[in-house]
Amino acid sequence: MKKAFVWDLPTRLFHWALVILVGISFYTGSTGGFVEMDYHMYAGYAILSLVLFRILWGFIGSDHSRFIHFIRSPGVILAYTRSLRIPSEPRVGHNPLGALSIIAMLSVLLLQVGTGLFANDDILLEGPLSHLVSYDTSRQLTAIHKTNRWIIVGLIALHLLAVTYYQVIRKHNIIQPMITGWMKVSQDIPAQRNNRLLAIVTLGLTSGFVYYLVNFV
């Protein structure tokens, strides 16, 4: 077995930062309070910046972080699902089912922070863009925001179950590579680009966009 560099630092930092921010967002949104809701909104802005970063990074990042590397057709996904009964080596990068999880999570998080920008609970929270829509529309978006969080919880639970399955049943160590960036493989893997400067610039652009969105629109 050989060691191969699979996950670049920006992808790994995105993953773990998102874990922390989603946890903060869910906790503060569930407990309420003036201070908690301030943190809730800040966490939402940070999540939006990260999600937009990951979408861009899916086109300009290292090979295994790019969407073109892991998004597959329904036929390939079905074939992979059937092959789960057969012992195999860990896949380098995201497998076809993992790709579905990523797309689903990015989509629901984008929906969550998007509706949060227009939300209005008539008590503590008024999204920075709520003035752009009517009161009724704002309340409808608030209802979607409250319901969608449970979809996020469901996807997180499904993700944790999948990680447990691969770690315990299939004996694929998929957690360590997302921490260190390295994994053991049997074949030669092309060296991955780790362009940290490009990542910093990209995150700066998405963060700047979100800052402008919530302060000047």
Side-chain angles (χ1 to χ4, degrees), residues 67-84 91 94-100 166:
F67 298 131
I68 195 173
H69 184 86
F70 57 82
I71 294 180
R72 295 292 182 262
S73 66
V76 173
I77 295 173
L78 181 60
Y80 175 78
T81 303
R82 291 171 177 170
S83 72
L84 290 177
R91 288 201 171 211
H94 295 298
N95 62 57
L97 285 179
L100 286 181
Y166 280 100

Side-chain angles (χ1 to χ4, degrees), residues 4-63:
F5 186 66
V6 178
W7 298 121
D8 58 39
L9 182 61
T11 299
R12 287 178 280 139
L13 289 178
F14 160 80
H15 179 275
W16 297 114
L18 194 64
V19 170
I20 295 172
L21 288 169
V22 169
I24 293 174
S25 183
F26 187 83
Y27 172 78
T28 54
S30 299
T31 56
F34 286 106
V35 176
E36 287 82 357
M37 293 313 296
D38 282 341
Y39 285 119
H40 182 77
M41 295 180 72
Y42 293 146
Y45 302 153
I47 290 172
L48 179 56
S49 299
L50 284 178
V51 170
L52 294 177
F53 164 81
R54 184 62 183 91
I55 292 174
L56 292 178
W57 201 242
F59 295 98
I60 64 176
S62 62
D63 291 342

